[in-house]
Amino acid sequence: MSSGYVLTPEQEIHAHESQQRQLWGSLGAFLIINNVAIGGRLWATRTSPGTRSRLLAEDVLIILTGIFVNAIIPNLMVATHFGLGLHVYTVNARDPDYPSNLSKTFRHVWITMVLMSSFFLCIKMTLLFFYRRLFIVANPRLRIFWWANFVFIILWFIGATGFYLFQCQPVQYYFMRYYQRFPHKDANNPVVLSGQCDATVVLNVSLPVIFSLISDIGLVILPIWAVSTLQITKAKKRGLWAVFGIGSVACLLELARVLTLNLNTDDADDTSYGVVLFLILTAAEETTAVVCACVPVIAPRILNRLRERPSSRINVYHEKKAKNYGMWSINSSRGNSDDSQHVMPHACRQATETDDNVPLTWVEITGENAIHDTENMEKPTKVVPRPGRSYLPAFLQQDQRRDPSAIYVQTDIQAQVVDSKRAM
């Protein structure tokens, strides 16, 4: 011990106790997981055909989330360097200018708590906008529930940020109060401030956490409710519930934070040692929230990459089979003239694309002009009608025979018919 701080016999017994290894290990792992998950999500959205050409609100929010998480966890690491995880008296006993290190420890803890509400705002909004893009289309009750979550999160952010900023008067008294509690005349310490931190009692500190838990429950209910309305098989529903149910882990960690704060946190006498478990659980919840926002985007993209490339999944059907589907008609208007072409499809190929990481199918039909001498042919006065029934490619017919309950959704599909002779 290198300072003039004198330990009592009981304090000397416990002076060797430390939770710094747990802090360094968990914080380092959480920092890596967060950055890998956020980087993976950005990679998935930038390489997905449906999202790479546009900037989504959730992309901006996940980038802000990464900025905050890379400020919060390193701040806790710096606090650990100054003494977080050690008993208060151990920190003072090792500090020649005590309580300088203790004050620095809680300056960084205070910065962490202030940034925490901004982090949770960004990650919760990332999830909300992601769910809106996936599910909130025509269901009015889901839209109302989405907006209720949105408003609640904004109000929670304002209240939580205000509480963490002004829980002590003056604001800096949160970390400067230790100079008043442990006066040290021989050290070069700043002027001792007077103030109060009556709001820092455990019950008051747990209120923002409790309201955050309520918003987390709403974020878990939203995708589960949306999935339950989808017309898909029970097995697929269970799979989607499992993916989106990762958020329930964040709810459990939030509940653990509330219980730890009220039952196992010493925020009065031995703060540098007594708040460690609460802060580790906080960082764990942050990481779980990031993983919850990133896995539903990353996993489908990785699975698609592991499968064959679209060019190798081409199903080419024989010309004779394709002719059975009849004559296709294409009409194009150029100026005041009508140009009608008949295309006989002789090859059909199918490949899988992804729009917002949802499997889609594109179909390319290659054909040739049924009428080769178009210059000497009299132009038709009307467009030749298409076949009476919808064209269903053979690969979809096979899927329908295997699973009669399958549902095919008609959406905005751009079809291109190419004249193979002109292409040559």
Side-chain angles (χ1 to χ4, degrees):
M1 304 299 178
S2 57
S3 74
Y5 189 86
V6 180
L7 298 177
T8 65
E10 184 179 357
Q11 290 173 344
E12 288 181 351
I13 296 173
H14 300 282
H16 67 283
E17 295 176 347
S18 172
Q19 299 185 78
Q20 290 190 325
R21 286 186 178 180
Q22 294 92 317
L23 280 166
W24 286 117
S26 59
L27 293 176
F30 293 152
L31 187 62
I32 293 172
I33 293 171
N34 276 287
N35 283 286
V36 169
I38 293 172
R41 193 186 197 281
L42 292 173
W43 164 80
T45 55
R46 291 303 91 199
T47 58
S48 175
T51 57
R52 62 189 172 195
S53 61
R54 53 199 174 106
L55 183 63
L56 303 174
E58 61 209 59
D59 291 338
V60 176
L61 289 166
I62 201 67
I63 291 172
L64 291 174
T65 299
I67 293 172
F68 283 120
V69 81
N70 281 282
I72 290 171
I73 294 181
N75 258 287
L76 288 176
M77 289 179 167
V78 174
T80 303
H81 168 74
F82 283 118
L84 184 64
L86 300 174
H87 292 289
V88 166
Y89 47 81
T90 304
V91 177
N92 285 337
R94 296 179 181 181
D95 181 13
D97 295 324
Y98 76 89
S100 175
N101 284 348
L102 196 59
S103 178
K104 292 175 182 177
T105 297
F106 283 95
R107 178 187 290 117
H108 290 283
V109 171
W110 179 79
I111 294 171
T112 296
M113 300 309 293
V114 171
L115 294 178
M116 197 77 67
S117 52
S118 298
F119 165 84
F120 281 117
L121 171 71
C122 291
I123 195 63
K124 290 172 192 281
M125 287 297 175
T126 300
L127 288 166
L128 272 182
F129 281 98
F130 176 58
Y131 294 155
R132 187 180 72 169
R133 182 164 58 90
L134 285 186
F135 303 120
I136 316 302
V137 180
N139 191 320
R141 290 182 296 177
L142 280 174
R143 284 204 303 270
I144 292 172
F145 191 68
W146 187 91
W147 278 107
N149 275 273
F150 181 90
V151 173
F152 185 87
I153 291 170
I154 294 294
L155 294 176
W156 170 84
F157 165 73
I158 295 171
T161 303
F163 172 79
Y164 289 127
L165 275 174
F166 305 112
Q167 56 185 316
C168 292
Q169 295 296 330
V171 172
Q172 63 269 33
Y173 189 69
Y174 181 87
F175 49 86
M176 296 296 290
R177 53 183 165 168
Y178 296 100
Y179 288 101
Q180 188 179 46
R181 179 179 171 186
F182 303 105
H184 187 198
K185 296 181 180 179
D186 298 333
N188 186 19
N189 292 327
V191 177
V192 176
L193 288 177
S194 59
Q196 57 86 18
C197 281
D198 296 338
T200 57
V201 296
V202 167
L203 181 61
N204 292 338
V205 175
S206 62
L207 287 177
V209 185
I210 292 172
F211 285 110
S212 179
L213 175 60
I214 295 173
S215 69
D216 287 348
I217 294 172
L219 287 172
V220 171
I221 292 174
L222 185 61
I224 292 177
W225 181 7
V227 169
S228 66
T229 63
L230 299 178
Q231 300 299 319
I232 56 178
T233 62
K234 291 183 179 180
K236 291 181 180 179
K237 281 187 179 182
R238 286 192 291 267
L240 289 173
W241 284 334
V243 171
F244 292 110
I246 298 174
S248 61
V249 179
C251 292
L252 293 176
L253 287 171
E254 192 91 69
L255 180 61
R257 288 177 66 204
V258 175
L259 295 176
T260 300
L261 192 58
N262 285 275
L263 301 177
N264 192 32
T265 299
D266 184 356
D267 66 329
D269 299 323
D270 198 4
T271 48
S272 58
Y273 191 86
V275 300
V276 169
L277 181 57
F278 173 75
L279 293 176
I280 290 177
L281 288 174
T282 300
E285 188 196 354
E286 291 175 357
T287 306
T288 305
V290 169
V291 170
C292 179
C294 296
V295 166
V297 179
I298 297 173
R301 193 68 189 137
I302 292 177
L303 291 176
N304 288 335
R305 284 298 182 98
L306 292 178
R307 296 171 184 164
E308 295 177 293
R309 291 184 177 273
S311 58
S312 65
R313 292 199 302 274
I314 298 174
N315 298 324
V316 180
Y317 297 92
H318 195 267
E319 177 179 354
K320 292 182 179 178
K321 294 182 180 180
K323 285 181 179 179
N324 293 333
Y325 294 111
M327 186 85 69
W328 288 69
S329 174
I330 301 177
N331 179 60
S332 63
S333 176
R334 297 172 184 172
N336 297 323
S337 65
D338 292 328
D339 183 14
S340 180
Q341 297 179 0
H342 299 271
V343 176
M344 185 73 71
H346 63 72
C348 176
R349 65 176 184 171
Q350 170 253 347
T352 300
E353 290 286 347
T354 55
D355 183 1
D356 302 344
N357 299 312
V358 178
L360 297 178
T361 298
W362 59 263
V363 179
E364 180 179 323
I365 300 171
T366 306
E368 61 182 52
N369 264 334
I371 302 167
H372 303 289
D373 190 7
T374 57
E375 295 181 357
N376 300 324
M377 174 190 173
E378 184 179 352
K379 295 183 179 179
T381 57
K382 63 179 180 178
V383 177
V384 179
R386 296 188 179 187
R389 62 186 182 89
S390 299
Y391 170 72
L392 191 64
F395 58 87
L396 289 184
Q397 291 182 6
Q398 293 172 4
D399 290 344
Q400 195 174 45
R401 283 195 293 270
R402 285 194 299 265
D403 184 8
S405 64
I407 298 174
Y408 299 97
V409 180
Q410 183 177 0
T411 182
D412 327 351
I413 298 177
Q414 295 181 352
Q416 180 179 6
V417 180
V418 182
D419 185 347
S420 59
K421 292 190 174 180
R422 290 187 179 182
M424 295 174 61

